Amino acid sequence: MILTEKEIEVLEIIEKDSRIQTDVLAKMIALTPEETKSIIEKLEKEKIIVDYSSAINWRKVDGHEGVTAMIDVKVTPKRGVGFDEVAERIYRFPEVRSVYLMSGAYDLSVIIEGHSMSEVAQFVSGKLSTIDSVISTTTHFIMKKYKHDGTVYEQDDEDHRIVVSP
């Protein structure tokens, strides 16, 4: 779909701040709030704007740290549907946050969240590995998030520049 310059501007601004108020956004792109609202509704209807989300640093909330794992999956594609059918079977599990078709040694990259490492291990052995097309998996546990979707999680406000004096 070809978008207008104003529609592209709306997308770029909303991508950085999905909580921006329509009247503020309208001023930024030099349109009326009604025109801006109409653009947003069109982009939502066309599924260009898919969702609005928040980035939460769960490590700072006691008892809610959880475990995130990235799982590389080697798959045998099925005739006529390729990787789509197995990807759909995988993303239907509630633990799964993301599924990507990848180039390289593995076909799919799956990101899941669980309460513990053993819960993730149970998912891999009991659900993921039992899917017919899955040949092998490699699981990587995320130890710490520094930056996710453009958001820096733990920024050190201390100034690390070298002091220069005459």
Side-chain angles (χ1 to χ4, degrees):
M1 167 178 259
I2 298 173
L3 298 179
T4 67
E5 189 176 317
K6 293 293 183 184
E7 291 168 335
I8 298 289
E9 281 184 73
V10 167
L11 290 173
E12 289 172 345
I13 294 167
I14 287 177
E15 186 176 37
K16 290 181 184 139
D17 181 7
S18 63
R19 292 182 51 155
I20 192 165
Q21 295 176 1
T22 306
D23 57 331
V24 173
L25 177 58
K27 287 177 186 175
M28 291 173 74
I29 61 172
L31 291 176
T32 67
E34 293 76 24
E35 291 170 318
T36 305
K37 186 177 180 191
S38 175
I39 288 173
I40 292 170
E41 287 172 352
K42 173 191 172 190
L43 295 170
E44 289 172 342
K45 183 181 177 209
E46 294 295 327
K47 300 284 187 219
I48 294 170
I49 297 175
V50 180
D51 194 13
Y52 299 92
S53 62
S54 299
I56 299 169
N57 189 350
W58 286 106
R59 289 178 54 111
K60 293 193 172 203
V61 181
D62 291 339
H64 292 297
E65 296 88 3
V67 175
T68 303
M70 299 175 83
I71 307 166
D72 297 325
V73 184
K74 191 169 281 216
V75 176
T76 302
K78 291 193 175 183
R79 186 176 302 237
V81 294
F83 298 103
D84 295 346
E85 186 178 292
V86 71
E88 184 177 344
R89 285 191 63 193
I90 293 169
Y91 73 61
R92 290 183 180 272
F93 290 114
E95 302 92 336
V96 175
R97 295 290 165 248
S98 305
V99 178
Y100 304 101
L101 179 62
M102 305 296 288
S103 64
Y106 288 88
D107 304 307
L108 298 174
S109 182
V110 179
I111 299 174
I112 73 160
E113 291 179 358
H115 295 295
S116 65
M117 287 180 145
S118 71
E119 187 178 305
V120 171
Q122 238 175 345
F123 170 81
V124 173
S125 64
K127 294 179 180 178
L128 186 59
S129 297
T130 60
I131 296 174
D132 291 336
S133 300
V134 172
I135 298 169
S136 67
T137 64
T138 301
T139 303
H140 309 273
F141 288 96
I142 295 176
M143 306 302 285
K144 181 178 181 180
K145 284 184 188 177
Y146 293 100
K147 185 175 183 179
H148 178 75
D149 285 341
T151 301
V152 176
Y153 274 66
E154 305 233 1
Q155 196 163 11
D156 187 4
D157 293 331
E158 189 177 320
D159 190 353
H160 293 285
R161 293 180 290 179
I162 298 172
V163 177
V164 178
S165 59

Short mmCIF file of all heavy atoms in Angstrom, two decimals, residues 28-61:
data_model
loop_
_atom_site.label_atom_id
_atom_site.label_comp_id
_atom_site.label_asym_id
_atom_site.label_seq_id
_atom_site.Cartn_x
_atom_site.Cartn_y
_atom_site.Cartn_z
N MET A 28 2.17 18.55 15.35
CA MET A 28 3.48 18.16 14.86
C MET A 28 3.51 17.96 13.34
O MET A 28 4.52 18.21 12.70
CB MET A 28 3.95 16.87 15.55
CG MET A 28 4.26 17.04 17.01
SD MET A 28 4.61 15.48 17.84
CE MET A 28 6.23 15.11 17.20
N ILE A 29 2.38 17.49 12.79
CA ILE A 29 2.34 17.21 11.35
C ILE A 29 1.51 18.25 10.58
O ILE A 29 1.26 18.08 9.40
CB ILE A 29 1.83 15.79 11.06
CG1 ILE A 29 0.39 15.60 11.58
CG2 ILE A 29 2.76 14.75 11.64
CD1 ILE A 29 -0.24 14.29 11.15
N ALA A 30 1.11 19.31 11.28
CA ALA A 30 0.38 20.43 10.66
C ALA A 30 -0.94 20.01 10.02
O ALA A 30 -1.26 20.38 8.88
CB ALA A 30 1.27 21.16 9.65
N LEU A 31 -1.73 19.22 10.78
CA LEU A 31 -3.08 18.86 10.36
C LEU A 31 -4.04 19.12 11.51
O LEU A 31 -3.62 19.37 12.64
CB LEU A 31 -3.16 17.37 9.98
CG LEU A 31 -2.43 16.91 8.73
CD1 LEU A 31 -2.55 15.40 8.58
CD2 LEU A 31 -2.96 17.60 7.48
N THR A 32 -5.33 19.05 11.24
CA THR A 32 -6.31 19.20 12.31
C THR A 32 -6.39 17.89 13.10
O THR A 32 -6.05 16.83 12.56
CB THR A 32 -7.72 19.52 11.75
OG1 THR A 32 -8.19 18.37 11.03
CG2 THR A 32 -7.69 20.74 10.86
N PRO A 33 -6.85 17.94 14.34
CA PRO A 33 -7.01 16.70 15.11
C PRO A 33 -7.95 15.70 14.42
O PRO A 33 -7.72 14.49 14.49
CB PRO A 33 -7.60 17.18 16.44
CG PRO A 33 -7.08 18.58 16.60
CD PRO A 33 -7.07 19.13 15.19
N GLU A 34 -8.98 16.21 13.74
CA GLU A 34 -9.92 15.34 13.04
C GLU A 34 -9.24 14.61 11.88
O GLU A 34 -9.44 13.41 11.67
CB GLU A 34 -11.13 16.14 12.52
CG GLU A 34 -12.02 16.71 13.60
CD GLU A 34 -11.43 17.95 14.30
OE1 GLU A 34 -10.59 18.66 13.71
OE2 GLU A 34 -11.80 18.18 15.47
N GLU A 35 -8.42 15.35 11.11
CA GLU A 35 -7.69 14.74 9.99
C GLU A 35 -6.70 13.70 10.51
O GLU A 35 -6.56 12.61 9.94
CB GLU A 35 -6.93 15.81 9.19
CG GLU A 35 -7.83 16.75 8.41
CD GLU A 35 -7.06 17.93 7.83
OE1 GLU A 35 -6.19 18.50 8.54
OE2 GLU A 35 -7.33 18.28 6.66
N THR A 36 -6.05 14.02 11.60
CA THR A 36 -5.07 13.12 12.20
C THR A 36 -5.75 11.85 12.71
O THR A 36 -5.27 10.74 12.47
CB THR A 36 -4.31 13.82 13.34
OG1 THR A 36 -3.74 15.02 12.83
CG2 THR A 36 -3.24 12.94 13.93
N LYS A 37 -6.88 12.01 13.38
CA LYS A 37 -7.63 10.86 13.88
C LYS A 37 -8.08 9.97 12.72
O LYS A 37 -8.02 8.74 12.80
CB LYS A 37 -8.84 11.32 14.70
CG LYS A 37 -9.59 10.20 15.35
CD LYS A 37 -10.72 10.69 16.21
CE LYS A 37 -11.43 9.51 16.83
NZ LYS A 37 -12.67 9.85 17.46
N SER A 38 -8.49 10.59 11.63
CA SER A 38 -8.92 9.85 10.45
C SER A 38 -7.77 9.03 9.86
O SER A 38 -7.94 7.88 9.46
CB SER A 38 -9.46 10.83 9.40
OG SER A 38 -9.77 10.17 8.22
N ILE A 39 -6.57 9.63 9.83
CA ILE A 39 -5.39 8.91 9.33
C ILE A 39 -5.09 7.70 10.21
O ILE A 39 -4.86 6.60 9.71
CB ILE A 39 -4.16 9.85 9.25
CG1 ILE A 39 -4.33 10.84 8.10
CG2 ILE A 39 -2.87 9.06 9.10
CD1 ILE A 39 -3.26 11.93 8.05
N ILE A 40 -5.13 7.90 11.53
CA ILE A 40 -4.84 6.81 12.47
C ILE A 40 -5.86 5.69 12.30
O ILE A 40 -5.49 4.51 12.25
CB ILE A 40 -4.81 7.33 13.92
CG1 ILE A 40 -3.60 8.24 14.11
CG2 ILE A 40 -4.78 6.17 14.92
CD1 ILE A 40 -3.59 9.00 15.43
N GLU A 41 -7.13 6.04 12.18
CA GLU A 41 -8.17 5.02 12.01
C GLU A 41 -7.96 4.23 10.72
O GLU A 41 -8.15 3.01 10.68
CB GLU A 41 -9.55 5.67 12.04
CG GLU A 41 -9.96 6.13 13.43
CD GLU A 41 -11.24 6.96 13.45
OE1 GLU A 41 -11.75 7.33 12.37
OE2 GLU A 41 -11.71 7.25 14.56
N LYS A 42 -7.58 4.92 9.65
CA LYS A 42 -7.31 4.25 8.37
C LYS A 42 -6.14 3.27 8.52
O LYS A 42 -6.22 2.12 8.06
CB LYS A 42 -6.98 5.28 7.29
CG LYS A 42 -6.53 4.67 5.97
CD LYS A 42 -5.97 5.69 5.03
CE LYS A 42 -5.35 5.01 3.81
NZ LYS A 42 -4.60 5.93 2.99
N LEU A 43 -5.06 3.72 9.17
CA LEU A 43 -3.88 2.88 9.34
C LEU A 43 -4.18 1.67 10.23
O LEU A 43 -3.64 0.59 10.01
CB LEU A 43 -2.72 3.71 9.90
CG LEU A 43 -2.21 4.82 8.97
CD1 LEU A 43 -1.24 5.73 9.72
CD2 LEU A 43 -1.58 4.25 7.72
N GLU A 44 -5.04 1.84 11.22
CA GLU A 44 -5.46 0.71 12.06
C GLU A 44 -6.33 -0.26 11.27
O GLU A 44 -6.16 -1.48 11.36
CB GLU A 44 -6.22 1.22 13.29
CG GLU A 44 -5.35 1.93 14.29
CD GLU A 44 -6.13 2.59 15.42
OE1 GLU A 44 -7.37 2.80 15.27
OE2 GLU A 44 -5.51 2.91 16.44
N LYS A 45 -7.26 0.27 10.50
CA LYS A 45 -8.16 -0.57 9.70
C LYS A 45 -7.38 -1.41 8.68
O LYS A 45 -7.70 -2.57 8.46
CB LYS A 45 -9.19 0.30 8.98
CG LYS A 45 -10.20 -0.47 8.18
CD LYS A 45 -11.17 0.44 7.48
CE LYS A 45 -12.11 -0.39 6.62
NZ LYS A 45 -12.59 0.33 5.46
N GLU A 46 -6.35 -0.81 8.09
CA GLU A 46 -5.54 -1.51 7.09
C GLU A 46 -4.49 -2.43 7.73
O GLU A 46 -3.69 -3.03 7.03
CB GLU A 46 -4.84 -0.50 6.18
CG GLU A 46 -5.79 0.31 5.31
CD GLU A 46 -6.53 -0.55 4.29
OE1 GLU A 46 -5.96 -1.54 3.81
OE2 GLU A 46 -7.69 -0.21 3.99
N LYS A 47 -4.47 -2.50 9.07
CA LYS A 47 -3.53 -3.32 9.82
C LYS A 47 -2.08 -2.91 9.59
O LYS A 47 -1.16 -3.72 9.65
CB LYS A 47 -3.70 -4.81 9.50
CG LYS A 47 -5.07 -5.36 9.81
CD LYS A 47 -5.21 -5.56 11.29
CE LYS A 47 -6.52 -6.26 11.58
NZ LYS A 47 -7.18 -5.79 12.74
N ILE A 48 -1.87 -1.63 9.31
CA ILE A 48 -0.51 -1.09 9.24
C ILE A 48 -0.08 -0.77 10.67
O ILE A 48 1.03 -1.09 11.07
CB ILE A 48 -0.45 0.14 8.31
CG1 ILE A 48 -0.74 -0.30 6.87
CG2 ILE A 48 0.90 0.83 8.41
CD1 ILE A 48 -0.95 0.82 5.90
N ILE A 49 -0.96 -0.13 11.43
CA ILE A 49 -0.76 -0.04 12.88
C ILE A 49 -1.41 -1.30 13.44
O ILE A 49 -2.63 -1.46 13.38
CB ILE A 49 -1.41 1.22 13.49
CG1 ILE A 49 -0.77 2.49 12.93
CG2 ILE A 49 -1.30 1.18 15.01
CD1 ILE A 49 -1.43 3.78 13.40
N VAL A 50 -0.58 -2.20 13.95
CA VAL A 50 -1.07 -3.50 14.39
C VAL A 50 -1.46 -3.50 15.86
O VAL A 50 -2.45 -4.10 16.25
CB VAL A 50 0.01 -4.59 14.13
CG1 VAL A 50 -0.48 -5.95 14.57
CG2 VAL A 50 0.39 -4.61 12.66
N ASP A 51 -0.67 -2.80 16.68
CA ASP A 51 -0.90 -2.83 18.12
C ASP A 51 -0.16 -1.67 18.77
O ASP A 51 0.74 -1.09 18.18
CB ASP A 51 -0.37 -4.16 18.69
CG ASP A 51 -0.86 -4.44 20.10
OD1 ASP A 51 -1.79 -3.77 20.57
OD2 ASP A 51 -0.29 -5.34 20.74
N TYR A 52 -0.56 -1.34 19.97
CA TYR A 52 0.14 -0.36 20.79
C TYR A 52 0.66 -1.12 21.99
O TYR A 52 -0.07 -1.89 22.60
CB TYR A 52 -0.81 0.75 21.24
CG TYR A 52 -1.43 1.52 20.09
CD1 TYR A 52 -2.64 1.15 19.54
CD2 TYR A 52 -0.77 2.62 19.57
CE1 TYR A 52 -3.19 1.86 18.49
CE2 TYR A 52 -1.33 3.35 18.52
CZ TYR A 52 -2.53 2.95 17.98
OH TYR A 52 -3.07 3.67 16.94
N SER A 53 1.93 -0.92 22.34
CA SER A 53 2.48 -1.70 23.44
C SER A 53 3.33 -0.84 24.36
O SER A 53 3.72 0.27 24.02
CB SER A 53 3.32 -2.87 22.90
OG SER A 53 4.40 -2.37 22.16
N SER A 54 3.61 -1.40 25.53
CA SER A 54 4.45 -0.74 26.52
C SER A 54 5.69 -1.59 26.76
O SER A 54 5.63 -2.81 26.72
CB SER A 54 3.70 -0.60 27.85
OG SER A 54 2.56 0.18 27.68
N ALA A 55 6.80 -0.94 27.03
CA ALA A 55 8.03 -1.65 27.40
C ALA A 55 8.16 -1.58 28.91
O ALA A 55 8.22 -0.49 29.48
CB ALA A 55 9.23 -1.01 26.72
N ILE A 56 8.17 -2.74 29.55
CA ILE A 56 8.21 -2.80 31.01
C ILE A 56 9.48 -3.53 31.43
O ILE A 56 9.78 -4.61 30.92
CB ILE A 56 6.97 -3.52 31.57
CG1 ILE A 56 5.72 -2.73 31.16
CG2 ILE A 56 7.07 -3.69 33.08
CD1 ILE A 56 4.42 -3.43 31.40
N ASN A 57 10.20 -2.95 32.36
CA ASN A 57 11.41 -3.57 32.89
C ASN A 57 11.02 -4.42 34.10
O ASN A 57 11.03 -3.95 35.23
CB ASN A 57 12.44 -2.51 33.26
CG ASN A 57 13.78 -3.11 33.61
OD1 ASN A 57 13.90 -4.32 33.74
ND2 ASN A 57 14.77 -2.27 33.75
N TRP A 58 10.66 -5.68 33.86
CA TRP A 58 10.18 -6.56 34.91
C TRP A 58 11.27 -6.91 35.92
O TRP A 58 10.97 -7.34 37.03
CB TRP A 58 9.59 -7.84 34.31
CG TRP A 58 8.27 -7.60 33.68
CD1 TRP A 58 7.99 -7.55 32.34
CD2 TRP A 58 7.03 -7.34 34.35
NE1 TRP A 58 6.65 -7.28 32.14
CE2 TRP A 58 6.04 -7.15 33.35
CE3 TRP A 58 6.65 -7.24 35.69
CZ2 TRP A 58 4.71 -6.89 33.67
CZ3 TRP A 58 5.33 -6.98 36.00
CH2 TRP A 58 4.38 -6.80 34.98
N ARG A 59 12.53 -6.72 35.56
CA ARG A 59 13.63 -7.00 36.51
C ARG A 59 13.53 -6.11 37.74
O ARG A 59 14.04 -6.45 38.79
CB ARG A 59 14.98 -6.79 35.84
CG ARG A 59 15.33 -7.83 34.80
CD ARG A 59 16.65 -7.50 34.15
NE ARG A 59 17.69 -7.33 35.16
CZ ARG A 59 18.70 -8.16 35.34
NH1 ARG A 59 18.82 -9.19 34.56
NH2 ARG A 59 19.59 -7.93 36.27
N LYS A 60 12.88 -4.98 37.63
CA LYS A 60 12.76 -4.04 38.75
C LYS A 60 11.56 -4.34 39.65
O LYS A 60 11.35 -3.67 40.64
CB LYS A 60 12.69 -2.61 38.23
CG LYS A 60 13.98 -2.17 37.58
CD LYS A 60 14.00 -0.70 37.35
CE LYS A 60 15.37 -0.28 36.90
NZ LYS A 60 15.66 1.09 37.14
N VAL A 61 10.75 -5.33 39.28
CA VAL A 61 9.56 -5.68 40.05
C VAL A 61 9.82 -7.02 40.74
O VAL A 61 9.91 -8.05 40.08
CB VAL A 61 8.32 -5.77 39.14
CG1 VAL A 61 7.08 -6.12 39.96
CG2 VAL A 61 8.12 -4.48 38.36
#
